[in-house]
Amino acid sequence: MSKVKQLPPRNKVKKSDCWDLSTLFVDDDAWEAAFKKWEKRISQYAGFQGRLGNDAKTLADCFKFDLEFDRESERLGTYAFLKVAEDTSNSTYQRMQGRYVNVASKASQAGAYIRPEILAIPKAKITKFLADHNMKPYRLIVERLLRQKPHTLGKNEEKLLAMQTEMSQAAGQIFGQLNNADLKFGTVKDETGQLLELSHATFSKMMHCPKRNVRKAAFDKYYQEFDDHKNTLAATLNGSIQCDIYYAKARNHAGSLQAALFPDRVPVGVYDNLIKTVRDGLPALYRYYDVRRRKMRLRDIHHYDTYVPILSDLQVSRTWNQAVELVMKALQPLGDGYCGILKEGLQGRWCDRYENRGKRSGAFSCGSYDADPF
């Protein structure tokens, strides 16, 4: 029996291959100290309540405080999220993120009066406020708030919606824990006979294997685990959809699609046209798959046949630094200033490079205003 090549636990990953979150907080103790200060500041929201229509300076001071509070909230939330992403089974960071979400919900409740109170200011008065020099940094915020008027409720209703923050995230949290920590895919042999622990990352590697029996075995084993949990996954998806429908109705949108597109001013027609364009392009995709099938000399083609290179000289292996150099070459038109910063970050520790046990699956970019991107 060959030894199973398993994913390493987080504490066995080389430090140089892990991201460095010190531009957010140097360690958990620094996060804890900042978290306690941030939580205490929630009470300052009460000082502005009922006074936003008094004068432009009071409204500007409220915006200044709210933005500073949100900026610190972003730092705290990003750090907690990234620590959970390192190992979703780590209860210490699950608790950290849970505490953050709980306090962020309290902050949302404390500031829930702001939007309805601003929207209650008469048009002539808010126009006069916007002409005041104190409001210069916040004019765009007010313009965006005014656009939200048909979808803003009274202060009590807004507070109720803010109280639902933690509950509304339940479906996403359940799926994240199931997908990243609880699903176990077993083992699979690669083309050399090496027994590998099957995971989200090794599954991708297996789909590029030149041996079809290896690809099929990995594919069947991987998706069998999802099939075994199909009822839980369906219930979780349903919970997420119902949440979207609820908030769309609560905020007087025509539907959840309209609610999702509204903040970015994207017309529904643009969304529909994207779907139509994809469907119109399907015949070309089918022709490509048939070319692939014939090139691979297959009677029929399956999903696990669609990733493996069909030209042998495309099978290339690169080190991390070689890959960075290739990216730099591609981005050179953006200039030395851009590329220099990016290269330093990629060869440094902006990226958490490799998979470990319990790590959040997939690739993403995440950061905050006051720290590096990760």
Side-chain angles (χ1 to χ4, degrees):
M1 290 290 290
S2 59
K3 187 177 180 182
V4 178
K5 188 176 181 181
Q6 294 182 315
L7 294 172
R10 181 68 185 182
N11 59 9
K12 296 296 183 181
V13 180
K14 288 194 297 184
K15 188 176 180 180
S16 59
D17 289 333
C18 299
W19 50 32
D20 174 14
L21 303 184
S22 61
T23 54
L24 285 165
F25 295 99
V26 293
D27 55 28
D28 294 355
D29 291 338
W31 184 92
E32 187 67 38
F35 178 81
K36 289 177 179 176
K37 288 181 181 178
W38 173 71
E39 184 176 17
K40 287 179 181 178
R41 295 192 72 191
I42 293 176
S43 60
Q44 293 177 243
Y45 275 108
F48 297 102
Q49 190 165 2
R51 300 174 54 235
L52 300 185
N54 290 359
D55 54 70
K57 187 178 185 308
T58 300
L59 183 56
D61 288 345
C62 179
F63 277 128
K64 184 174 185 294
F65 165 73
D66 188 49
L67 290 173
E68 288 175 352
F69 186 90
D70 277 352
R71 193 158 155 178
E72 185 62 13
S73 173
E74 183 184 59
R75 285 181 68 224
L76 289 158
T78 300
Y79 183 87
F81 167 76
L82 293 174
K83 294 304 288 185
V84 170
E86 293 175 0
D87 181 0
T88 57
S89 65
N90 187 311
S91 59
T92 297
Y93 295 118
Q94 287 180 24
R95 180 173 179 270
M96 175 185 279
Q97 189 174 42
R99 289 171 62 211
Y100 166 78
V101 171
N102 177 263
V103 174
S105 176
K106 291 178 182 177
S108 295
Q109 295 168 47
Y113 68 87
I114 293 175
R115 189 193 294 181
E117 198 168 308
I118 292 172
L119 294 177
I121 300 172
K123 186 177 180 180
K125 196 172 188 180
I126 197 71
T127 301
K128 184 179 178 181
F129 283 4
L130 289 174
D132 189 285
H133 72 280
N134 288 298
M135 284 295 296
K136 186 176 180 180
Y138 313 114
R139 286 170 189 164
L140 182 60
I141 296 175
V142 174
E143 289 170 6
R144 288 174 174 170
L145 272 176
L146 293 175
R147 185 171 171 264
Q148 295 278 357
K149 190 168 186 175
H151 308 292
T152 301
L153 310 179
K155 65 179 182 180
N156 290 332
E157 290 86 353
E158 287 290 338
K159 186 175 181 180
L160 280 172
L161 290 180
M163 289 170 64
Q164 297 167 13
T165 301
E166 293 173 274
M167 181 178 65
S168 68
Q169 296 180 6
Q173 290 174 346
I174 291 166
F175 174 76
Q177 288 300 109
L178 180 65
N179 187 50
N180 298 306
D182 292 343
L183 292 184
K184 305 299 180 187
F185 302 102
T187 59
V188 65
K189 285 185 179 180
D190 66 13
E191 68 272 25
T192 67
Q194 170 69 57
L195 205 56
L196 299 177
E197 180 181 357
L198 189 59
S199 66
H200 295 298
T202 55
F203 171 75
S204 178
K205 180 182 178 183
M206 292 297 97
M207 291 301 97
H208 290 81
C209 177
K211 289 191 175 181
R212 197 183 195 209
N213 63 323
V214 172
R215 298 196 303 271
K216 183 180 186 304
F219 182 90
D220 291 345
K221 185 165 283 193
Y222 183 79
Y223 280 105
Q224 184 62 53
E225 184 72 358
F226 286 102
D227 190 60
D228 289 345
H229 293 82
K230 61 187 175 186
N231 295 315
T232 301
L233 290 166
T236 305
L237 176 59
N238 181 61
S240 178
I241 292 170
Q242 293 303 323
C243 185
D244 291 340
I245 293 171
Y246 169 79
Y247 281 109
K249 287 182 177 178
R251 294 207 171 277
N252 302 312
H253 287 283
S256 55
L257 174 60
Q258 288 82 351
L261 298 177
F262 181 82
D264 294 317
R265 298 174 180 257
V266 177
V268 173
V270 172
Y271 177 91
D272 290 339
N273 190 51
L274 286 170
I275 301 298
K276 181 180 181 300
T277 302
V278 170
R279 287 176 175 161
D280 290 345
L282 287 177
L285 182 64
Y286 297 151
R287 288 197 300 273
Y288 160 73
Y289 280 137
D290 193 53
V291 169
R292 169 178 274 274
R293 178 191 64 78
R294 286 184 278 121
K295 172 65 178 176
M296 297 175 72
R297 298 179 180 178
L298 300 175
R299 179 175 297 176
D300 50 20
I301 190 167
H302 290 274
H303 186 83
Y304 48 77
D305 299 316
T306 60
Y307 295 94
V308 60
I310 57 175
L311 300 175
S312 59
D313 58 348
L314 292 182
Q315 193 84 2
V316 179
S317 179
R318 293 184 177 91
T319 66
W320 178 271
N321 286 334
Q322 285 173 337
V324 171
E325 291 297 335
L326 194 61
V327 170
M328 292 303 103
K329 186 177 179 181
L331 296 179
Q332 195 55 51
L334 297 179
D336 293 338
Y338 181 96
C339 290
I341 293 170
L342 181 59
K343 184 175 182 179
E344 184 179 349
L346 293 178
Q347 290 186 332
R349 292 177 58 200
W350 281 2
C351 294
D352 210 73
R353 301 182 182 183
Y354 307 116
E355 192 180 24
N356 58 257
R357 194 174 303 148
K359 187 175 178 180
R360 182 186 172 99
S361 66
F364 64 84
S365 177
C366 179
S368 75
Y369 187 85
D370 296 298
D372 292 333
F374 298 102

